[in-house]
Amino acid sequence: MSEYKSFATDAIHSGHHPNESDPSIVPPITMSSTYQLAEVGIDDIFTGPVIYSRLGNPTRDSLEKCIAKLENAKYGFAFASGMSAITACFQSFLQSGDHVVCSEDMYGSTTSYLQKLEVQFNVPVSPVDFKKVEDVTDAITEKTKLVYFEPITNPLIGVVDVPAVVKAVREKNKDALVIVDNTFLSPWNMRPIDYGVDIVLHSATKYINGHSDTICGLVSTNKIDLARKMKNAQLYLGGVPSPFDCFLVSRGIKTLDLRMERHAKNALKVAEWLEIHPCVEKVIYPGLKSHPQFELLKKISRTPSGMVTFTIKGGRSEAERFLKSLKIISHGVSLGGYESLAQHPFTTTHGAVSKEQKDRIGITENMIRVSIGLEAVHDIIEDIDYALKKATNNNKA
Ligand SMILES: Cc1ncc(COP(=O)(O)O)c(C=O)c1O
């Protein structure tokens, strides 16, 4: 694992430095869409001055510099949403006939988008279980252009051996790009660039912003050719965030260090307690010794995040009653905010995934995914306990 000594300092100070012409301590929100040009003609949009806010904006620049620093990357790019960051990558690097290897257990809209890409643009996609590195190797061909996965799978919270996958891809096809969606962790936990991935991206809507009050995506890379393509994606696809959204995400980042530590502490306590609860069938949390990749997670990430998945004894109606009985935790999609959220992956985040695929990877109707927030942990536990008992009619549990 790489050195994180100054993470908190970098999160607070990178991207904006008060100076004589701009003494503000907090990066200002620059709303101007256009800027006075000093010269006639535009040399290079990548290195040139600020021209027009779709191309670059001082508030966005400050966020992009900060995320690059935190990811240990040279270049950072902000997009209007996690999905717009994801689609910008696929649009920028793929041509008709290229092959994609992706995880079979990831965010439902990414899976649906790739299915569309396959049909509409003739880009064959091979979904595999990234926990089995040999399956990834087997799926790669000489036509593979892009290898795409989430290090923490969704919603089954499996852990992928990122360095081993990167090694396997390089050995089989050195031209294939490796792109990682690290939304379920954060750069505080793990920096995939340190493991050799080409691009790391996030739905910054989640842990990075951390306050459930904006939608944003972030992309980081060390490679200039990939960075230029990302800049072009901002210019030509145009899915960039507003300066106000950038301001909110920058503000969220300042406390990422404190928040991620607390998410992990709370989640571990909840998972340990759930593991012995009589109304619970199974708990999946990589901080538990019972998790099959417990040792792997310790090796590649500082801690797990706050994402806990469990199955309730019973079926869909027990899961539904559980969600309706919660009082503090909200029933809602998304994750990574200061507040705890619970949802039913089978019908919501993974509602569009085929029943056959759900059966194959193990998304069941009695499954609940919880994003453990920053509330007092005894209140979270009390709330879940009440809802579990209500859902299973087990008041003695
Ligand atoms: C892992 C993951 N990636 C990407 C996204 C899409 O992000 P956004 O909602 O910011 O577009 C999500 C949204 O839930 C997600 O969970």
Side-chain angles (χ1 to χ4, degrees):
M1 211 192 305
S2 55
E3 187 58 69
Y4 284 95
K5 225 167 73 197
S6 299
F7 189 95
T9 314
D10 290 340
I12 289 168
H13 294 290
S14 298
H16 176 74
H17 303 283
N19 56 53
E20 248 175 56
S21 65
D22 176 8
S24 51
I25 302 292
V26 173
I29 305 174
T30 304
M31 292 304 291
S32 188
S33 62
T34 191
Y35 304 85
Q36 178 159 284
L37 300 175
E39 307 289 340
V40 175
I42 295 162
D43 274 352
D44 182 352
I45 57 156
F46 197 73
T47 51
V50 58
I51 299 168
Y52 182 64
S53 275
R54 174 155 44 81
L55 255 176
N57 162 284
T59 319
R60 193 172 97 212
D61 291 351
S62 140
L63 169 63
E64 290 177 338
K65 285 197 181 101
C66 184
I67 190 63
K69 178 78 183 168
L70 297 185
E71 295 282 17
N72 207 13
K74 288 198 183 105
Y75 312 99
F77 300 90
F79 287 88
S81 65
M83 276 318 291
S84 98
I86 291 166
T87 54
C89 287
F90 286 116
Q91 295 254 357
S92 302
F93 304 124
L94 289 175
Q95 288 182 359
S96 181
D98 286 341
H99 173 235
V100 174
V101 177
C102 72
S103 171
E104 62 177 5
D105 176 12
M106 60 182 184
Y107 179 52
S109 296
T110 310
T111 302
S112 304
Y113 172 74
L114 285 176
Q115 284 161 356
K116 199 169 150 54
L117 206 67
E118 184 159 27
V119 176
Q120 208 177 338
F121 297 106
N122 179 33
V123 173
V125 177
S126 303
V128 298
D129 180 353
F130 269 67
K131 296 192 298 306
K132 299 182 189 146
V133 180
E134 60 287 3
D135 287 8
V136 179
T137 306
D138 288 348
I140 294 170
T141 70
E142 59 185 20
K143 292 208 155 186
T144 306
K145 185 68 217 260
L146 215 145
V147 175
Y148 183 93
F149 65 100
E150 298 171 11
I152 302 296
T153 69
N154 177 13
L156 291 162
I157 322 289
V159 182
V160 175
D161 191 339
V162 184
V165 168
V166 173
K167 186 165 174 279
V169 177
R170 302 294 182 233
E171 279 169 9
K172 187 89 185 271
N173 178 344
K174 62 177 179 30
D175 297 325
L177 295 177
V178 183
I179 303 187
V180 157
D181 175 345
N182 203 27
T183 299
F184 268 42
L185 290 172
S186 77
W188 182 86
N189 304 78
M190 179 214 280
R191 295 196 288 218
I193 297 251
D194 290 348
Y195 298 135
V197 315
D198 297 296
I199 285 188
V200 56
L201 63 86
H202 286 268
S203 164
T205 312
K206 312 296 190 307
Y207 284 113
I208 290 189
N209 178 47
H211 292 70
S212 300
D213 53 9
T214 190
I215 301 279
C216 185
L218 293 169
V219 173
S220 304
T221 183
N222 261 336
K223 301 194 169 156
I224 180 76
D225 51 330
L226 307 184
R228 282 188 177 275
K229 287 194 171 171
M230 285 293 104
K231 190 76 175 171
N232 281 339
Q234 291 182 322
L235 177 61
Y236 301 128
L237 300 175
V240 291
S242 74
F244 187 62
D245 287 332
C246 294
F247 164 80
L248 286 175
V249 177
S250 289
R251 190 176 65 164
I253 283 180
K254 306 301 173 211
T255 54
L256 189 60
D257 175 77
L258 291 171
R259 288 188 286 106
M260 291 318 295
E261 205 169 344
R262 178 74 173 264
H263 279 295
K265 264 191 193 155
N266 277 2
L268 180 61
K269 280 197 181 139
V270 172
E272 283 173 341
W273 170 83
L274 277 173
E275 215 174 21
I276 49 168
H277 199 288
C279 304
V280 171
E281 196 180 70
K282 187 177 172 197
V283 186
I284 314 172
Y285 184 67
L288 292 174
K289 288 206 176 87
S290 58
H291 191 285
Q293 290 99 35
F294 171 74
E295 290 299 335
L296 171 63
L297 186 114
K298 276 204 298 192
K299 203 173 87 190
I300 63 171
S301 177
R302 265 217 270 200
T303 66
S305 64
M307 299 307 294
V308 179
T309 292
F310 67 93
T311 51
I312 188 165
K313 280 189 184 155
R316 168 124 162 217
S317 50
E318 281 74 11
E320 280 179 17
R321 272 207 301 276
F322 170 80
L323 289 168
K324 284 186 183 147
S325 307
L326 291 166
K327 290 184 166 155
I328 293 176
I329 301 174
S330 298
H331 171 203
V333 293
S334 203
L335 60 116
Y338 51 67
E339 77 295 348
S340 295
L341 287 174
Q343 61 105 6
H344 187 231
F346 194 94
T347 52
T348 51
T349 45
H350 293 69
V353 175
S354 71
K355 170 84 169 56
E356 186 213 336
Q357 187 167 344
K358 280 182 202 149
D359 288 347
R360 188 158 36 84
I361 62 182
I363 303 176
T364 55
E365 300 210 45
N366 62 342
M367 183 170 277
I368 304 283
R369 192 191 81 186
V370 194
S371 169
I372 302 292
L374 308 177
E375 299 94 341
V377 72
H378 59 86
D379 289 328
I380 301 175
I381 288 177
E382 203 175 294
D383 198 29
I384 297 178
D385 190 40
Y386 172 81
L388 279 172
K389 286 173 181 162
K390 265 296 240 205
T392 55
N393 289 324
N394 187 351
N395 285 323
K396 291 190 210 87

